[in-house]
Amino acid sequence: MSNAVTVLGLGQMGHALAGAFLRAGHPTTVWNRTAAKADDLVAQGATLAGTPADTAGLVVICVSDHHAVRGILAAMGPLEGRVVVNLTSVTPTHVREFAADVTRRGGAYLDGGILAVPDAVGTAESMLAFSGPRALYDEHEATLATLGAGMHLGEDPGLLATHELATLMLMWSMLNGFLNGAAILGASGVSAAEAVPFARMMIDSVAGWLPGYADQIDQGTYSADHGTIDTQLVSMANVVEESESLGVNTDLSKLVKALAERAVAAGHGGSGYTALVEQFRKS
Ligand SMILES: NC(=O)c1ccc[n+]([C@@H]2O[C@H](COP(=O)([O-])OP(=O)(O)OC[C@H]3O[C@@H](n4cnc5c(N)ncnc54)[C@H](OP(=O)(O)O)[C@@H]3O)[C@@H](O)[C@H]2O)c1
């Protein structure tokens, strides 16, 4: 017999989570601020809750932001014996607030993040990460695995949210680089599709550098084996100059160049690219 679950929040992601639980045979209760978004799930066998307090089993919250999570937790009423898994993207500070609130009210709290798009939830392409009490994760691991492969990062409830912020920065930086590159290529009459093989090659190369670069960052040694910041600065200036002549936005290219110039001013012109981490460490 599959365990009962409740999904609070049926936006794009919450709806996908509830659908995956239903397909796997979990008795699934659903609630959404706009109740109509539950209609098709109810037609598939879900139970509609009238309020966030009408939950059954493991409670999964997936809404737009921390304000919505806070409101839902307040509306859940007594939490004695209830287990709340928050899959909403929030900051580590919010997570610690929610964990303390739920625990103080007699419940148990696990924080999680979904490393997948809604269509992939419940398939082999879906991964989730969690932080909070290990014993709580172990207890509910099998149920949560319905949504995708899971991993537990650590006892600190805020750990997942910290990783999530770092990973999102990486995703946006990669995408911004691709989009900025597409704008440069487009202004030169080259389609974005033609850039894809080069972009994939570069992403694969960078992915291969990461373990060694992470060691350099952790040890504070910035090897110039892959070239110096001085050398890269010449290429950065080329990007800014050509973007200006093409009439393409230079916000990102100027920021990239300015960070490198600051690293050079700090004495790292002859260092490898990882020395830029010192610029990111400053507030
Ligand atoms: N979509 C993705 O690809 C994806 C991938 C990974 C992680 N996530 C994360 O999943 C979370 C949800 O994203 P989503 O794509 O599902 O967003 P979404 O489609 O915009 O849905 C937002 C949900 O939040 C609810 N909501 C907003 N304000 C509320 C409030 N004050 N009280 C109660 N409910 C409220 C909305 O209810 P109404 O329907 O009534 O407006 C809706 O159910 C986010 O943290 C997001 O970062 C999303």
Side-chain angles (χ1 to χ4, degrees):
M1 176 65 184
S2 295
N3 295 323
V5 295
T6 296
V7 179
L8 303 177
L10 302 173
Q12 277 195 350
M13 185 50 87
H15 194 279
L17 301 174
F21 281 130
L22 275 171
R23 283 194 301 278
H26 292 277
T28 304
T29 301
V30 293
W31 174 87
N32 194 55
R33 182 179 61 177
T34 309
K37 287 189 188 169
D39 288 352
D40 60 326
L41 294 165
V42 171
Q44 293 166 53
T47 302
L48 182 65
T51 76
D54 301 333
T55 64
L58 186 70
V59 180
V60 172
I61 301 179
C62 187
V63 283
S64 50
D65 61 16
H66 67 279
H67 297 293
V69 176
R70 199 179 280 141
I72 286 173
L73 287 176
M76 281 181 71
L79 293 180
E80 197 65 45
R82 293 213 260 178
V83 178
V84 175
V85 181
N86 178 34
L87 296 182
T88 309
S89 302
V90 295
T91 69
T93 306
H94 295 133
V95 170
R96 294 188 185 105
E97 171 200 322
F98 299 148
D101 177 40
V102 171
T103 311
R104 185 181 48 75
R105 291 160 63 192
Y109 180 95
L110 200 59
D111 202 68
I114 309 154
L115 308 171
V117 292
D119 281 352
V121 169
T123 74
E125 306 299 310
S126 174
M127 279 187 58
L128 289 90
F130 298 90
S131 56
R134 173 83 213 195
L136 190 63
Y137 174 70
D138 288 344
E139 197 182 326
H140 297 283
E141 184 178 6
T143 303
L144 293 168
T146 302
L147 305 175
M151 65 180 130
H152 181 259
L153 301 178
E155 292 282 320
D156 171 3
L159 194 56
L160 174 273
T162 307
H163 274 289
E164 192 173 50
L165 297 181
T167 308
L168 285 171
M169 273 306 296
L170 178 65
M171 181 187 77
W172 291 321
S173 299
M174 282 193 297
L175 288 176
N176 284 337
F178 182 65
L179 298 174
N180 195 156
I184 291 171
L185 289 163
S188 311
V190 183
S191 72
E194 289 171 86
V196 169
F198 297 104
R200 277 185 184 274
M201 205 168 59
M202 181 53 80
I203 288 173
D204 287 346
S205 295
V206 172
W209 301 340
L210 292 185
Y213 279 17
D215 285 343
Q216 291 181 28
I217 292 164
D218 290 340
Q219 289 160 20
T221 56
Y222 309 124
S223 160
D225 288 355
H226 291 180
T228 63
I229 293 180
D230 276 338
T231 306
Q232 305 226 30
L233 202 42
V234 176
S235 302
M236 292 169 185
N238 288 340
V239 176
V240 173
E241 189 183 316
E242 184 65 7
S243 298
E244 279 170 343
S245 79
L246 289 169
V248 168
N249 183 295
T250 55
D251 288 352
L252 183 58
S253 54
K254 281 183 176 163
L255 173 64
V256 168
K257 180 167 166 277
L259 284 166
E261 283 167 346
R262 278 183 235 157
V264 171
H268 281 301
S271 302
Y273 201 74
T274 47
L276 256 76
V277 72
E278 294 188 359
Q279 302 310 309
F280 285 109
R281 282 189 178 129
K282 294 176 190 166
S283 71

